[in-house]
Amino acid sequence: MTATLPIFRRAAASATTFIILAYVMISHIFLVPRCNAVRIHFPLWRVLRTAPAKTVNASIPIEELKPFSRSQSGEDLHLFQKYFCGVQNGTFLELGALNGEHLSNTYMFEFKLGWRGVLIEGNPNSYESLWKKRPNAITIHSAVCSEYQIVHYVIKYSEVGGILEFMSDSFKALWHKNWKSYTEEEAPSVPCYPFSALIGLAGIRHVDAMFLDVEGSELSVLQSVPLGDFSVNVMVIEAIGREPEKEARVRAFMTNAGYKHIESWGRSDWFVRNGWQPLPCPH
């Protein structure tokens, strides 16, 4: 799958007509359903242009943003107010993107502030809506693991779905009491690739904000992130339902990777890359 990426890049350097043709062909190739294969959609802007330089407009009132907020607990508004006040044309990455609108942490940033980014979703049903609702984002259908494997993705109750093999016992006891009897329709097999392979396919090495919401498999995902080659200014990692021992391991991992735990706010732990300064809104 990744062997096609150099062809994509060479096409981007050739004539405009050939660029568009290559874009259409690759989008359709990856969007064709196939067993245990990564599916990816590149928006047209990814081929024809790069995002304009980042600008800051601190005059944007929060009341103007609220109609576009889709986060479950206001994470998007909090990220704007405390870390990226007025920042437009930034970049994001969201793992566990659902359908791109419901409970989305990045919807407001894309549609109101002009941000661009990557959305990764393992639920095959959610992905069908994701790439249609968010055509301006790079969307990828795959679960994320420390090494390649085939896993079972629970699609019942999509908000609390996720990789069955990585769910904690307490999470399964709360939301998936009958998980042992799930059928292939309820927990289909999906590909699970290392994060490094997926961001290589997307062609990115840095984002301003990254949201990680994968219902218990956060540590496995983080272990596949090549933080030496890929940087994030603010990392937001869901902590609700995580067992204390696993939470301590996540925080220790992030500390060793060069990130500082700033706060536990809402449903998540918030980390900032060492050396990066937040841009909070004035009170």
Side-chain angles (χ1 to χ4, degrees):
M1 191 65 67
T2 56
T4 62
L5 187 58
I7 297 174
F8 182 83
R9 285 176 173 168
R10 286 199 298 272
S14 63
T16 302
T17 302
F18 188 67
I19 292 174
I20 297 175
L21 178 61
Y23 159 76
V24 173
M25 290 177 62
I26 289 176
S27 292
H28 280 77
I29 288 171
F30 282 106
L31 287 174
V32 173
R34 57 186 68 183
C35 180
N36 299 329
V38 171
R39 298 170 60 193
I40 182 168
H41 168 73
F42 285 103
L44 193 59
W45 67 264
R46 178 66 178 83
V47 181
L48 298 181
R49 67 176 177 84
T50 57
K54 188 180 304 179
T55 60
V56 176
N57 178 11
S59 65
I60 300 176
I62 197 67
E63 294 301 323
E64 191 175 318
L65 296 177
K66 285 182 178 179
F68 292 85
S69 174
R70 296 292 187 274
S71 291
Q72 184 170 3
S73 302
E75 289 86 352
D76 47 8
L77 295 171
H78 185 73
L79 182 70
F80 176 85
Q81 289 182 297
K82 187 165 183 176
Y83 298 92
F84 294 104
C85 186
V87 174
Q88 297 177 290
N89 304 320
T91 52
F92 60 77
L93 191 152
E94 187 169 12
L95 282 82
L98 293 176
N99 70 0
E101 182 173 3
H102 180 58
L103 304 183
S104 173
N105 293 311
T106 58
Y107 183 94
M108 180 189 80
F109 287 92
E110 178 177 327
F111 290 99
K112 186 59 180 177
L113 297 169
W115 287 38
R116 290 288 184 262
V118 181
L119 304 172
I120 301 176
E121 176 56 46
N123 185 325
N125 289 355
S126 295
Y127 185 77
E128 291 300 328
S129 296
L130 174 63
W131 71 268
K132 296 174 184 177
K133 288 178 177 290
R134 303 288 291 274
N136 290 323
I138 298 172
T139 57
I140 301 175
H141 173 229
S142 175
V144 183
C145 300
S146 56
E147 59 184 19
Y148 171 75
Q149 58 185 296
I150 299 298
V151 296
H152 294 86
Y153 198 100
V154 178
I155 62 176
K156 291 185 67 174
Y157 320 116
S158 59
E159 294 87 348
V160 292
I163 301 173
L164 185 60
E165 287 81 354
F166 296 152
M167 290 180 180
S168 67
D169 291 339
S170 59
F171 188 85
K172 285 189 289 190
L174 179 61
W175 297 107
H176 302 285
K177 295 181 175 63
N178 301 320
W179 64 271
K180 291 183 179 180
S181 62
Y182 283 173
T183 64
E184 182 68 18
E185 288 71 29
E186 295 170 318
S189 300
V190 300
C192 199
Y193 281 89
F195 183 84
S196 56
L198 298 179
I199 62 169
L201 191 63
I204 59 171
R205 299 187 64 180
H206 171 82
V207 293
D208 292 304
M210 173 174 166
F211 289 91
L212 179 57
D213 179 2
V214 287
E215 309 300 352
S217 58
E218 291 83 9
L219 187 59
S220 176
V221 170
L222 290 170
Q223 289 170 340
S224 77
V225 178
L227 290 173
D229 301 318
F230 176 77
S231 62
V232 182
N233 290 338
V234 180
M235 182 95 72
V236 185
I237 305 175
E238 187 181 53
I240 294 295
R242 193 188 306 151
E243 297 170 344
E245 180 181 351
K246 186 175 288 187
E247 182 172 345
R249 292 173 64 191
V250 167
R251 293 188 182 185
F253 179 90
M254 293 299 294
T255 299
N256 293 335
Y259 288 78
K260 181 179 180 180
H261 179 244
I262 299 297
E263 60 180 335
S264 295
W265 187 94
R267 305 170 59 85
S268 304
D269 284 335
W270 298 66
F271 299 86
V272 167
R273 178 170 57 86
N274 291 343
W276 183 80
Q277 294 297 321
L279 298 170
C281 292
H283 293 293

